[in-house]
């Protein structure tokens, strides 16, 4: 074809658009880059030269391409805003998609990662399914027509130039029996020119595209399905066999052997992915389990007492009221746009305006008649709400006013309006649906007016992510939030929610940078947060980045006081109190109120339910614990937390046989679940069965430790547990066997120096061992804990070496990437220097400040992250001076499970606390603390037996350590 000149195109579109340059040309037109004169937005202008008669098939195809795309609103279909014929040129306007076609990407890098191809298949597949369900077959799905947008990473399908509808009158445009499309991606029936080509031809082409994107080679070069599967297996061994089989299913020669639709193929692919990846099948399994449990035990999810389908909210769209001019195409397009945008909302069903119009006796034009229409929508279609839109057309602009009426009463519930150029219909409708429905839904879910991403597809993904987050499907929730970010990269709440998922899904022993990176991303875009979510982010910022627990807790309390219906804020406050409450003076049981409130506001909030169950266990409330466990498993049946819930329930409440079944299966339990069970061993108040259970969990973790990190962590846990229980002989055995077990030398050196500087149970046989360990650790210049240990060890042996290590620690604490732990360790050293200078009161204040700041992600299993050595030093100095209140302030946290390493100090810290209580005339408190200490030493061995006996002497014979 002849490409029109730049001047010719400018003359045709001059009124509204500036034409900048030619972008490219193809068989159905040339595309130019333009810019809207008043809005400044970039557009793509596709032009067809008028080389044939006005009623020619070329022009008809061109116009139909514009019409089809304009009437297929979908986030992964390139839309068309406007079609015109001016000065001999037919053209239409599309948004300019700044990115690459798949053909260009494959030319550059040959093939794509599976995760990228999966996203392509899901997004383009959803677009094609959307078109098919509206009677449109694309017929030219190929890499050149698939675009990836740079800014969002989303995939879009373009060029409906040879698409066709199912209607018989359209067949003449392309010619019945004529093969159209691109041969390399033709389905066999397309190549044979069969007249009844349907959506399975597009499915075949999408299968071809997926194969080529994965392997770098087109599938049409291979002769049979076995060759195709072999080629895919050879090229991509990283793709599981079940997924491979589903991926090539669309390439069957006979269309009857292909999946029946793109939608069903995508569903099958999702199931196949779930079978190969346990984290990917959480949603499906949760749904199935929830339905079964609802029937079996009478529980109901937050969606209602009956089936999910029966509880969908039904919205009816009334026929539009048009003023300022009659335009049937505009009216039909707007009505369909409203219906399609509403279908993105979760848990909503839509009754279209056409169905409602057929049931209406007359067109409504008064308030009374609209009440009748609302009543009709309720009685005939079961609608709960009616959308009424009034459209005012003024030349090239429109204004749309929307009212949402209660279908049973006709009362106006919500209203909104928007206006803009005719070529911005999609934006106008999306904005109105967001204002009248999505914002209300967000308010119901969060308890406040929260922000929403741009586009109903992104809004739907955001709501889906929230539901997954609440049901503890954190991996899948992260996928949804990442989809939101891909569609709207500046939408801060998605980054914030992704950060929460990273916090809750992390393995207890794994310090992950994902938490901080997600927090940093949320901070980068916090200008887009609503005030309440911004306050929530501020609480997490203070908690994670600064480690200030009390301040974070204070912010959360302020939020729930202003927004008492904010389930998220209540849960976060409860979560903080459960795990870190003792660090700011709140016992874990105090979290019950906040978690109950979160559960009341959102009965499907799985994490709130599981924590309430565990609190009930600690309170020895069997009935409540089992009730919460049943409720949890009705929502989540296969995650790590579900596994943990079942383990605890069976071990404690289902009899001896069930308990033995749990402990006998520890070798096949998820590592993360075992870590949570083992963490319970840091509670000094455990009974004999519970402590035995935590010990067995730890033994299982030791057995499966294969990496240096796993061996170091499990050895650390064994050492802390043995020292906390006074099993000194066991500690000696662990140290002797450490080398045989390949425990990293760095971990052993830390223990040797740690026990020397904290004056707990010395592990070095002689001064030379600890000196050697300190000298080796001094070489770890980038390790803050090693530098702190070296500075402590050399402080009374070599002031110069101590000063060097301390300078390194200060330098690490001053770096931008520093965690709160570094600063706290520096302040701990400052407190010791203040004591040495005789300013004990200043030292108390420094220790107090230092222990108000924690690297919370490291606290559970970090070597000194719970700052127990600082608290121990503080308590010792205070006890020596007779400052009993300071002793009590320093030792409060040792009565609760905070950090696993706290156990190392139990025998000293709890004794000092009991003595301070007695000296303060709190005999009952002293006796309770001595009983607690005796309980921890029940299984003492070696020289630990003497320690246990001494507790009896200190306590005056009140312990129960026998």
């Amino acid at each position: 074809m002849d490409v029109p000149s730049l001047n010719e195109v400018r003359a045709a579109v001059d009124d509204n658009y500036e034409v900048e340059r030619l972008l490219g040309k193809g068989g159905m037109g040339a595309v130019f880059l333009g810019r809207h004169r008043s809005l400044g937005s970039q557009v793509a202008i596709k032009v067809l030269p008028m080389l044939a008669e006005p009623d020619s098939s070329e022009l008809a195809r061109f116009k139909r391409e514009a019409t089809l795309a304009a009437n297929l609103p979908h986030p992964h279909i390139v839309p068309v805003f406007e079609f015109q014929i001016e000065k001999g040129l037919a053209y239409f306007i599309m948004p300019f998609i700044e990115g690459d076609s798949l053909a260009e990407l494959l030319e550059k890098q040959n093939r794509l990662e599976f995760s990228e191809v999966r996203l392509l298949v899901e997004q383009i597949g959803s677009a094609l399914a959307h078109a098919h369900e509206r009677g449109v077959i694309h017929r030219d799905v190929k890499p050149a027509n698939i675009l990836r947008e740079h800014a969002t990473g989303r995939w879009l399908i373009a060029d409906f130039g040879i698409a066709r509808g199912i209607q018989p009158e359209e067949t003449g445009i392309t010619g019945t029996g004529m093969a159209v499309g691109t041969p390399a991606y033709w389905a066999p029936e397309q190549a044979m020119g069969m007249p009844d080509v349907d959506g399975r031809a597009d499915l075949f082409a999408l299968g071809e595209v997926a194969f080529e994107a994965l392997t770098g080679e087109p599938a049409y070069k291979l002769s049979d399905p076995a060759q195709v599967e072999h080629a895919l297996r050879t090229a991509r061994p990283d793709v599981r066999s079940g997924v491979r089989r589903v991926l090539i299913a669309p390439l069957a020669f006979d269309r009857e052997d292909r999946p029946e639709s793109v939608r069903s193929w995508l569903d099958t692919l999702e199931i196949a992915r779930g079978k190969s990846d346990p984290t990917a099948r959480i949603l499906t399994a949760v749904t199935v389990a929830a339905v079964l449990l609802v029937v079996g035990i009478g529980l109901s999810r937050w969606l209602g007492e009956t089936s999910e389908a029966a509880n969908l909210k039904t919205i009816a769209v009334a026929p539009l009221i048009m003023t300022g001019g009659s335009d049937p195409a505009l009216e039909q397009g707007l009505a369909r746009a409203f219906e399609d945008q509403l279908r993105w909302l979760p848990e909503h069903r839509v009754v279209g305006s056409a169905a409602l119009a057929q049931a209406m006796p007359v067109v409504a034009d008064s308030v009374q008649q609209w009440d009748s229409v609302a009543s009709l929508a309720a009685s005939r279609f079961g609608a709960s709400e009616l959308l009424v839109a009034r459209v005012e057309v003024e030349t090239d602009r429109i204004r749309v006013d929307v009212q949402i009426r209660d279908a049973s009463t006709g009362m106006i519930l919500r209203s909104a309006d928007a206006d803009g150029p005719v070529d911005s219909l999609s934006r106008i409708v999306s904005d109105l649906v967001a204002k009248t429905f999505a914002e209300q839904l967000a308010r119901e879910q969060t308890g406040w007016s929260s922000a929403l991403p741009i586009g109903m597809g992104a809004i739907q993904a955001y709501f889906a992510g929230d539901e997954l987050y609440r049901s503890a499907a954190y991996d899948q929730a992260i996928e949804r939030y990442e989809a939101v970010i891909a569609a709207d990269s500046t939408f801060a709440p998605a980054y914030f929610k992704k950060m929460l998922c990273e916090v809750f899904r992390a393995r207890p022993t794994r310090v992950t940078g994902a938490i901080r990176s997600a927090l940093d991303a949320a901070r980068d875009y916090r200008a887009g947060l609503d005030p309440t979510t911004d306050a929530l982010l501020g609480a997490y910022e203070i908690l994670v980045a600064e480690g200030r627990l009390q301040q974070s807790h204070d912010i959360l309390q302020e939020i729930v006081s202003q927004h008492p219906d904010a389930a998220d804020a209540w849960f976060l406050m409860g979560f903080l109190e459960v795990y870190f409450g003792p660090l700011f003076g709140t016992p874990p049981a105090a979290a019950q109120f906040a978690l109950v409130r979160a559960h009341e506001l959102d009965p499907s909030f799985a994490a709130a339910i599981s924590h309430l169950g565990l609190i009930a266990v600690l309170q020895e409330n069997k009935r409540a614990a089992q009730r919460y466990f049943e409720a949890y498993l009705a929502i989540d049946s296969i995650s790590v937390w579900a596994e943990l819930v079942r383990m605890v329930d069976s071990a404690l409440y289902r009899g001896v046989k069930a308990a033995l079944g749990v402990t006998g299966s520890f070798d096949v339990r998820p590592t993360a679940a075992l870590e949570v069970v083992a963490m319970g061993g840091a509670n000094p108040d455990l009974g004999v069965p519970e402590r035995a259970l935590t010990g067995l969990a730890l033994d299982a973790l030791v057995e499966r430790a294969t990496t240096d990190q796993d061996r170091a962590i499990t050895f650390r846990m064994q050492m802390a547990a043995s020292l906390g229980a006074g099993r000194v002989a066991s500690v000696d055995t662990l140290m002797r066997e450490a080398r045989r077990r390949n425990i990293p030398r760095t971990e052993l050196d830390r223990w040797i120096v740690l026990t020397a500087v904290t004056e707990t149970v010395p592990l070095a046989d002689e001064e030379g061992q600890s000196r050697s360990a300190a000298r080796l650790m001094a070489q770890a210049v980038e390790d803050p804990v090693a530098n702190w240990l070296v500075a402590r060890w050399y402080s009374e042996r070599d002031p110069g070496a101590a000063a060097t290590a301390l300078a390194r620690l200060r330098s690490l604490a001053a770096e931008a990437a520093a965690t709160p732990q570094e600063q706290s360790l520096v302040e701990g050293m400052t407190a010791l220097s203040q004591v040495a200078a005789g300013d004990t009161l200043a030292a108390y204040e420094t220790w107090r400040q230092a222990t108000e700041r924690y690297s919370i992600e490291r606290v559970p299993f970090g070597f000194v992250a719970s700052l127990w050595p600082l608290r121990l030093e503080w308590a010792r100095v205070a006890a020596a001076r007779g400052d009993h209140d300071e002793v009590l302030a320093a030792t409060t946290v040792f009565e609760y499970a905070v950090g696993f390493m706290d156990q190392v100090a139990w025998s000293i810290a709890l004794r000092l606390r009991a003595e301070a209580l007695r000296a303060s005339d709190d005999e009952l408190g002293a006796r309770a603390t001595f009983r607690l200490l005796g309980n921890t030493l029940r299984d003492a061995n070696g020289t630990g037996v003497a320690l246990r006996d001494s507790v009896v002497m200190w306590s005056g014979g009140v312990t129960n350590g026998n």
Side-chain angles (χ1 to χ4, degrees):
M1 63 167 282
D2 294 329
V3 178
S5 70
L6 203 59
N7 288 334
E8 288 175 318
V9 178
R10 284 172 176 163
V13 305
D14 185 61
D15 289 345
N16 296 315
Y17 302 96
E18 296 177 7
V19 184
E20 298 180 358
R21 58 186 171 87
L22 175 69
L23 290 174
K25 61 179 180 177
M28 285 295 293
V31 180
F32 292 81
L33 177 64
R35 189 176 299 275
H36 196 285
R37 290 189 182 278
S38 59
L39 299 178
S41 56
Q42 285 188 314
V43 296
I45 305 168
K46 188 168 184 178
V47 179
L48 176 71
M50 293 292 290
L51 300 179
E53 295 299 322
D55 58 351
S56 67
S57 61
E58 289 85 356
L59 180 58
R61 290 176 192 170
F62 191 69
K63 183 175 182 179
R64 192 184 68 258
E65 176 183 359
T67 303
L68 290 176
N71 287 280
L72 290 174
H74 190 278
H76 300 292
I77 294 176
V78 178
V80 168
F81 298 146
E82 178 182 348
F83 173 82
Q84 295 290 342
I85 301 175
E86 295 286 347
K87 298 182 180 179
L89 289 180
Y91 67 89
F92 57 77
I93 307 297
M94 304 175 290
F96 172 61
I97 306 299
E98 188 171 3
D100 298 309
S101 70
L102 175 60
E104 291 168 332
L105 288 171
L106 293 179
E107 186 176 350
K108 293 176 185 176
Q109 57 194 68
N110 188 40
R111 64 184 192 177
L112 305 181
E113 292 298 323
F114 173 68
S115 59
E116 188 70 8
V117 176
R118 175 174 61 82
L119 192 64
L120 181 156
V121 164
E122 289 176 353
Q123 294 182 351
I124 300 302
S126 71
L128 292 173
H130 178 81
H132 296 167
E133 289 158 5
R134 284 151 184 80
V136 177
I137 315 302
H138 190 283
R139 299 201 299 175
D140 199 18
V141 177
K142 60 183 179 181
N145 286 339
I146 295 174
L147 311 177
R148 185 174 68 179
E149 190 173 32
H150 285 161
T152 65
R154 65 173 174 153
W155 295 94
L156 298 99
I157 184 77
D159 199 346
F160 279 75
I162 62 169
R164 62 167 289 224
I166 297 175
Q167 291 78 6
E169 61 269 21
E170 294 186 359
T171 58
I173 296 175
T174 54
T176 302
M178 182 174 62
V180 293
T182 302
Y185 304 95
W186 271 345
E189 64 271 21
Q190 206 171 346
M192 292 184 288
M194 294 175 63
D196 60 342
V197 169
D198 59 21
R200 289 170 292 182
D202 284 349
L203 175 59
F204 182 96
L206 184 57
E208 288 267 9
V209 166
F211 182 91
E212 185 174 348
L214 283 168
T215 66
E217 295 290 336
Y220 70 83
K221 293 182 177 180
L222 305 171
S223 60
D224 60 62
Q227 274 191 320
V228 172
E229 184 169 7
H230 175 73
L232 182 56
R233 182 173 64 250
T234 302
R236 298 308 295 260
D238 56 314
V239 180
R240 299 293 183 93
S241 58
V243 176
R244 285 199 301 268
R245 285 192 292 272
V246 176
L247 280 172
I248 66 173
L251 300 180
F253 181 87
D254 188 339
R255 61 184 173 185
E256 299 301 327
D257 294 332
R258 299 172 207 154
E260 63 180 14
S261 67
V262 176
R263 189 82 69 192
S264 65
W265 179 57
L266 293 176
D267 291 343
T268 306
L269 183 60
E270 180 69 16
I271 293 170
R273 285 183 55 237
K275 290 178 179 178
S276 64
D277 180 2
T279 62
R281 66 175 185 266
I282 289 176
L283 181 59
T284 303
V286 166
T287 304
V288 173
V291 171
L292 293 175
L293 283 166
V294 166
V295 174
I297 63 177
L299 293 173
S300 64
R301 295 194 58 186
W302 68 288
L303 292 175
E305 299 295 331
T306 57
S307 70
E308 181 179 347
N311 285 274
L312 294 177
K313 178 182 284 188
T314 299
I315 304 166
V317 178
L320 274 60
I321 306 169
M322 305 291 293
T323 62
S326 176
D327 186 340
L330 177 61
E331 181 177 355
Q332 182 183 13
L334 266 173
R336 181 172 292 181
F338 271 113
E339 293 159 17
D340 288 337
Q341 295 286 346
L342 286 168
R343 289 189 177 96
W344 282 104
L345 294 171
E347 319 306 340
H348 284 67
R349 186 169 69 90
V350 181
V351 176
S353 60
L356 195 57
Q358 288 180 355
M360 290 169 53
V362 295
V363 176
D365 59 5
S366 69
V367 173
Q368 290 76 18
Q369 288 177 329
W370 280 122
D371 289 345
S372 298
V373 173
S375 178
L376 176 67
S379 61
R380 181 75 63 87
F381 300 100
S384 58
E385 294 181 347
L386 176 72
L387 183 150
V388 179
R390 184 181 297 274
V391 184
E392 183 178 351
V393 182
E394 297 179 358
T395 314
D396 60 346
R397 294 185 66 82
I398 65 168
R399 175 184 175 84
V400 184
D401 293 276
V402 168
Q403 293 178 349
I404 309 303
R405 294 173 175 264
D406 185 300
S408 60
T409 66
M411 182 181 297
I412 297 175
L413 303 175
R414 302 178 297 280
S415 62
D417 60 78
D419 64 356
V422 175
D423 60 8
S424 62
L425 291 181
S426 179
R427 179 194 60 77
I428 290 172
V429 172
S430 181
D431 184 45
L432 289 170
V433 171
K435 288 178 179 178
T436 53
F437 287 98
E439 288 180 5
Q440 174 72 14
L441 187 58
R443 189 178 299 110
E444 291 171 358
Q445 290 192 0
T446 64
W448 64 82
S449 298
S450 56
L452 290 170
I454 298 172
M456 291 305 299
I459 290 173
Q460 191 272 345
Y462 185 58
F463 284 139
D466 270 5
E467 184 174 350
L468 290 164
Y469 158 67
R470 283 175 164 76
S471 64
Y474 300 121
D475 291 316
Q476 282 191 296
I478 287 173
E479 288 184 6
R480 297 304 191 279
Y481 292 134
E482 287 176 342
V484 176
I485 292 167
D488 185 354
S489 61
T490 64
F491 184 62
Y495 293 98
F496 174 71
K497 291 294 183 66
K498 180 182 175 183
M499 180 197 72
L500 295 185
C501 291
E502 295 286 4
V503 170
F504 298 138
R505 78 165 179 170
R507 276 182 57 186
T509 61
R510 292 293 184 269
V511 178
T512 171
I515 295 174
R516 289 182 180 274
S517 64
L519 174 61
D520 289 342
R523 287 191 290 191
D524 288 343
Y525 296 103
R526 73 183 311 158
L529 290 173
D530 59 88
T532 307
T533 306
D534 185 56
L536 274 173
L537 176 61
Y540 253 87
E541 191 172 21
I542 290 172
L543 180 66
V544 176
E546 300 179 26
R548 299 188 181 278
L549 298 162
Q550 184 65 64
Q551 289 183 30
S552 179
H553 188 261
D554 291 345
I555 292 174
L556 292 170
Q557 284 187 316
E558 180 65 22
I559 291 173
V560 297
S561 68
Q562 295 179 3
H563 301 279
D565 294 335
D568 282 350
W570 280 111
F571 171 71
L572 292 175
M573 189 164 71
F575 177 83
L576 192 61
E577 291 170 349
V578 165
Y579 290 101
F580 306 108
L583 296 178
F584 54 90
T586 302
Q592 189 172 19
F593 178 81
L595 294 172
V596 165
R597 185 66 181 134
H599 177 45
E600 289 173 346
L601 291 167
D602 184 354
S604 71
F605 210 145
I609 297 171
S610 64
H611 285 84
L612 283 169
L614 295 178
I615 289 175
V617 169
L618 294 176
Q619 295 173 335
E620 299 183 0
N621 188 338
K622 174 182 176 181
R623 185 176 179 181
Q626 289 191 300
R627 185 175 71 251
Y628 284 127
F629 289 165
E630 287 179 342
Y632 183 88
L633 293 172
I635 299 169
D636 168 26
S637 64
I638 63 172
S639 75
V640 168
W641 273 100
E643 185 89 2
L644 180 65
V645 163
R646 280 192 292 266
M647 288 167 60
V648 174
D649 182 46
S650 297
L652 298 182
Y653 304 133
R654 302 296 178 181
V656 175
K657 184 176 180 180
L660 291 175
V662 171
T663 57
S665 61
F666 271 174
D667 59 331
V668 296
R669 299 285 184 174
T671 298
L674 292 178
E675 288 176 351
V676 175
V677 174
M679 179 65 194
N683 187 342
D685 201 25
L686 284 185
V688 174
E690 292 87 351
R691 193 167 295 283
L693 188 68
T694 62
L696 289 171
L698 177 53
D699 291 343
L701 289 172
V702 170
E703 286 297 318
R704 68 177 61 175
T706 56
T707 67
D708 283 349
Q709 183 181 17
D710 288 339
R711 284 191 286 267
I713 288 289
T714 53
F715 179 78
R716 181 180 306 171
M717 294 169 69
Q718 286 182 299
M719 290 287 289
S722 296
L723 287 170
R727 296 195 298 268
V728 180
S730 301
V731 170
D732 292 339
T733 301
L734 286 170
M735 289 298 292
R736 285 196 302 272
E737 294 180 348
R739 298 299 173 85
R740 178 183 60 80
R741 292 171 53 194
N742 295 319
I743 305 302
R745 174 65 186 270
T746 54
E747 184 70 16
L748 299 179
D749 288 342
R750 284 188 178 198
W751 276 104
I752 291 171
V753 176
L754 176 74
T755 54
V757 301
T758 58
E759 299 178 14
T760 50
V761 177
L763 301 180
D765 294 332
E766 56 187 25
E767 176 76 5
Q769 282 184 285
S770 58
R771 182 184 298 110
S772 176
R775 185 172 60 251
L776 288 173
M777 277 198 298
Q779 299 174 18
V781 296
E782 299 297 324
D783 185 339
V785 174
N787 279 290
W788 174 77
L789 286 168
V790 170
R792 289 284 287 109
W793 193 86
Y794 279 116
S795 60
E796 296 180 1
R797 296 173 174 85
D798 186 341
T804 298
L806 180 57
R808 289 174 179 165
L809 179 60
R810 291 183 187 278
S811 177
L812 292 170
E815 291 181 357
T819 67
Q821 176 183 260
E822 282 87 274
Q823 186 60 40
S824 293
L825 293 177
V826 168
E827 290 180 350
M829 295 298 297
T830 300
L832 289 177
S833 66
Q834 289 168 332
V835 170
D839 194 350
T840 308
L841 293 179
Y844 291 160
E845 186 58 30
T846 302
W847 272 316
R848 187 172 287 105
Q849 291 177 3
T851 53
E852 289 176 351
R853 184 192 304 106
Y854 292 88
S855 294
I856 63 162
E857 71 272 32
R858 299 175 183 268
V859 165
F861 293 100
F863 203 73
V864 296
S866 66
L867 306 182
W868 66 269
L870 276 62
R871 290 184 174 276
L872 184 59
E873 291 163 345
W874 178 9
R876 277 173 162 158
V877 170
R881 286 176 49 89
D883 295 331
H884 307 307
D885 288 344
E886 293 292 334
V887 173
L888 296 178
T891 58
T892 299
V893 300
F894 291 105
E895 293 186 317
Y896 305 98
V898 179
F900 202 87
M901 286 288 289
D902 290 1
Q903 297 175 84
V904 177
W906 276 352
S907 62
I908 302 171
L910 290 176
R911 176 178 62 82
L912 293 176
R913 181 171 182 79
E915 291 174 342
L917 288 166
R918 178 168 288 170
S920 303
D921 296 325
D922 186 355
E923 184 62 27
L924 289 178
R927 286 171 175 264
T929 304
F930 275 126
R931 286 193 183 95
L932 196 64
L933 179 55
N935 185 54
T936 67
L937 297 171
R938 183 170 36 227
D939 300 322
N941 59 29
T943 58
V945 175
L947 177 63
R948 184 180 65 198
D949 293 342
S950 66
V951 171
V952 177
M953 178 186 68
W954 294 329
S955 65
V958 299
T959 73
N960 60 350
N962 296 325

